[in-house]
């Protein structure tokens, strides 16, 4: 689920806007209306509570990823991830979730792995995820937790009596 095609995506991000602009101009000249953009469909299975994560946050989730035919290609429990480092469609779904809720995401292929596919995911595959958002934190909250943990470890190390050689 984490972007594994970073260089390819960067290249596409640079090339596609110009190509899309030319195609849109050609279609407009021919009287062809643009196709509506496909979006992630988010269905609430169990409502959560409170705020929703942002693309800059880190989430802790249980998830099961499937192809449209129900074939499971990935699943994990208590998986931490940066919202901004997952495929765009998964991120689009995460930012609509609330802590403690369970959701079903239907992600069109162009917001997942697209024409390249990835691992067990064939090219141009629409994906389905069942996701439970267990928790989420901002970078600042994570930094504070790490600093607190490091401080506790250093305090414990200093409290231990020095070992002397005999």
């Amino acid at each position: 689920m984490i972007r594994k095609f970073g260089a390819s995506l960067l290249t596409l991000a640079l090339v596609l806007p110009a190509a899309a602009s030319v195609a849109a101009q050609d279609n407009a000249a021919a009287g062809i209306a643009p196709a509506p953009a496909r979006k992630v469909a988010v269905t609430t299975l169990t409502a959560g509570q409170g705020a929703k994560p942002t693309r800059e946050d880190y989430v802790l989730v249980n998830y099961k990823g499937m192809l449209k035919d129900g074939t499971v290609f990935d699943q994990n429990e208590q998986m931490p991830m940066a919202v901004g480092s997952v495929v765009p469609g998964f991120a689009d779904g995460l930012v609509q979730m609330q802590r403690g809720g369970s959701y079903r995401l239907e992600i069109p292929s162009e917001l997942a792995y697209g024409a390249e596919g990835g691992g067990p995911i064939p090219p141009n595959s629409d994906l389905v995820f069942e996701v439970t958002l267990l928790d989420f934190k901002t970078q600042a909250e994570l930094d504070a937790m790490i600093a607190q943990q490091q401080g506790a470890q250093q305090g414990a190390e200093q409290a231990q009596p020095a070992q002397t050689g005999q």
Side-chain angles (χ1 to χ4, degrees):
M1 201 167 24
I2 295 177
R3 291 185 200 159
K4 296 180 182 174
F5 307 107
S8 298
L9 289 177
L10 180 58
T11 302
L12 285 174
L14 296 172
V15 172
L16 284 180
S21 176
V22 170
Q25 290 172 359
D26 290 346
N27 286 345
I32 301 171
R38 293 175 58 197
K39 295 182 179 182
V40 174
V42 179
T43 304
T44 301
L45 304 175
T46 304
Q49 295 181 1
K52 298 174 182 179
T54 69
R55 292 184 186 278
E56 291 76 37
D57 292 338
Y58 293 81
V59 296
L60 184 67
V61 297
N62 293 343
Y63 71 88
K64 178 167 60 170
M66 300 165 282
L67 302 176
K68 286 292 244 182
D69 68 4
T71 302
V72 175
F73 61 83
D74 190 18
Q75 64 183 39
N76 217 321
E77 292 190 1
Q78 297 187 354
M79 179 69 172
M81 59 183 69
V83 175
S85 71
V86 298
V87 296
F90 199 80
D92 290 350
L94 286 170
V95 299
Q96 296 181 56
M97 298 179 184
Q98 292 176 294
R99 188 178 282 115
S102 295
Y103 304 85
R104 178 182 173 92
L105 306 179
E106 295 180 41
I107 303 173
S109 65
E110 59 269 22
L111 295 176
Y113 291 94
E116 292 185 19
I121 302 168
N124 301 312
S125 294
D126 292 344
L127 305 178
V128 176
F129 283 90
E130 292 175 358
V131 183
T132 300
L133 178 59
L134 303 171
D135 199 6
F136 65 92
K137 301 284 184 202
T138 65
Q139 182 67 54
E141 289 172 321
L142 288 177
D143 290 344
M145 290 170 62
I146 291 168
Q148 182 180 15
Q149 186 178 28
Q150 288 174 341
Q153 285 177 335
Q154 289 173 351
E157 290 170 1
Q158 292 172 355
Q160 291 179 352
Q163 301 267 342
T164 59
Q166 294 176 336

